Structure formats: structure tokens, C-alpha cells
Amino acid sequence: MSRRGLLIILSSPSGAGKSTLAGRLRAWDDTLRFSVSATTRAPRTGEVDGKDYYFVSVPEFQSQVEQDGMLEHARVFGNYYGSPKAPVEEAIEGGRDVLFDIDWQGAQQISNSALKDHVLSIFILPPSITELHRRLVSRGQDSPEVIEGRMQKSWDEISHWGGYDYVLVNDDVDATEAQLKTIISAERLRRSQQPQLVDHVRNLQSQFGDRT
């Protein structure tokens, strides 16, 4: 193994461009995988267990939480959602990066978990609140009421920007994509991500002994 994998967390208020950027990152590196969340809600039409979500019962979910099997979890609109720890640990030890599309609460839980040394957290800010609103409207996916709810929630999300390793202002998606690639490429070379360096340095030190 040349390196350990990263837990790459992307967070942002809705409409800041996080999903678009996540898709571009996966197109750039097809080894980058999304973390598949577990949920207690019922599958929607077309959703596949193990691909879109791990669909579990409430007792199963609660049991995983009690056994420390979730990196992060929360209850949203009466259903539980969480990130199973085992597949992430397997990916990290195999040198594969895992991408998380989660809010600040989930990011905080993962950053305080046993895998915190491998976390790379990035928050995406919009260039302005006016532009954020324009993007939500232009998507044509939500009613005015839903958009207003997302706008109100965005203030709380933005207020947690200081808890992330990197913060990018997405005023140009191409430029932001380039910045993300630079950050990820550099973080993959972090000393803690390269376990083979210890043996390499020891080998170099032994070579000094051969010269005496």
C-alpha cells in the first residue's frame, strides 16, 4: 500500500454547488467512492439497497449505533440516517478515498471519531446570498416554500464554516473544481497518509551504517 485513504467531507448550504463539485471529483478520479449511508426510511422507487442506501430497521440501526458501528448519525424527519464505519475503515486501509456529502453535524462527528487523523473537511460557500437564492430557483426542483426553508437553514449551516480544514468560495465552478483537486492531491501526500515512509527512512538510516 502506497498510502492510506482519506475521508473527504464536502459540506455547504443547499445551492452552493456541492453536488456538482462532488460529481466532477468522481469524474476526475473514478477510484473515489461515495460513502453509502444507512437509513431506516423505506426505499423509494428505483433505489437499490447497498447502492443508494443500506436500508435497515430501527432496531438494526440502533444496535449499530450502540456497538459503535456508525461514524456519524442523526434523526431527520422521523427517520435515522448514518454512515457505517466498517466499509469506510476497509477503504481507508486499502488506500481508497471516501467522499462524504454531509452537513456540519455529521462532519463534526466524523472529525471527532477514531478515524479523525484521515479526515479532510471542506466547506463550500456561495459568492452571495442573492446568488444562492438564484441558484435554488434556477434548479426548478422546489416550491417557493421549500426554497424559503432552505434559505433559512443556510444561515445556520454557513455559521459553522470555521470548523473545516478548507473553505472555498464557489463563484466559478471550474476554478473551485481546480482548487479541490489541488487540495486533495496535496492531502494524499500528508505524512500520516504514507505509512511506508517509516520503513523507507529506516532503510535509509541502515544505509548510513553500511558506509561506516
Side-chain angles (χ1 to χ4, degrees), residues 140-179:
Q141 298 176 347
D142 301 314
S143 67
E145 293 76 19
V146 171
I147 290 174
E148 182 58 29
R150 293 187 186 281
M151 290 298 299
Q152 291 177 2
K153 185 180 179 182
S154 68
W155 169 246
D156 179 58
E157 294 169 328
I158 290 173
S159 70
H160 294 279
W161 68 276
Y164 288 74
D165 298 319
Y166 296 87
V167 180
L168 303 178
V169 178
N170 184 26
D171 53 359
D172 181 303
V173 69
D174 292 332
T176 305
E177 177 189 355
Q179 291 172 333

Side-chain angles (χ1 to χ4, degrees), residues 7 33 40 45 87 137 163 166 169 186:
L7 284 73
R33 52 164 291 182
T40 58
T45 302
V137 172
Y166 296 87
V169 178

Side-chain angles (χ1 to χ4, degrees), residues 28-203:
W28 166 61
D29 184 349
D30 59 11
T31 67
L32 193 62
R33 52 164 291 182
F34 261 122
S35 172
V36 179
S37 297
T39 182
T40 58
R41 74 162 173 79
R44 294 171 182 156
T45 302
E47 289 183 330
V48 178
D49 183 48
K51 178 182 178 182
D52 299 290
Y53 286 94
Y54 295 112
F55 295 100
V56 299
S57 67
V58 171
E60 287 176 315
F61 190 98
Q62 293 176 332
S63 176
Q64 288 190 49
V65 171
E66 291 170 0
Q67 296 174 27
D68 194 31
M70 292 287 179
L71 279 174
E72 57 85 23
H73 65 279
R75 190 176 185 183
V76 182
F77 300 120
N79 294 303
Y80 290 100
Y81 294 83
S83 301
K85 182 188 293 185
V88 175
E89 289 179 327
E90 181 181 350
I92 294 300
E93 290 306 314
R96 300 186 303 277
D97 300 324
V98 183
L99 184 61
F100 292 82
D101 180 348
I102 54 179
D103 65 10
W104 68 269
Q105 292 171 306
Q108 192 174 71
Q109 290 182 54
I110 292 178
S111 295
N112 291 328
S113 74
L115 298 179
K116 61 184 179 182
D117 291 340
H118 309 296
V119 169
L120 165 59
S121 61
I122 306 168
F123 196 89
I124 307 298
L125 288 170
S128 69
I129 298 303
T130 300
E131 174 61 15
L132 183 67
H133 184 266
R134 187 198 68 77
R135 291 177 184 177
L136 288 173
V137 172
S138 66
R139 293 194 308 195
Q141 298 176 347
D142 301 314
S143 67
E145 293 76 19
V146 171
I147 290 174
E148 182 58 29
R150 293 187 186 281
M151 290 298 299
Q152 291 177 2
K153 185 180 179 182
S154 68
W155 169 246
D156 179 58
E157 294 169 328
I158 290 173
S159 70
H160 294 279
W161 68 276
Y164 288 74
D165 298 319
Y166 296 87
V167 180
L168 303 178
V169 178
N170 184 26
D171 53 359
D172 181 303
V173 69
D174 292 332
T176 305
E177 177 189 355
Q179 291 172 333
L180 282 173
K181 291 176 180 177
T182 298
I183 291 168
I184 292 171
S185 296
E187 289 289 328
R188 285 171 170 173
L189 297 175
R190 196 193 307 168
R191 179 167 55 84
S192 62
Q193 296 303 112
Q194 301 188 74
Q196 82 285 356
L197 288 179
V198 173
D199 288 337
H200 183 69
V201 171
R202 286 174 179 167
N203 183 48

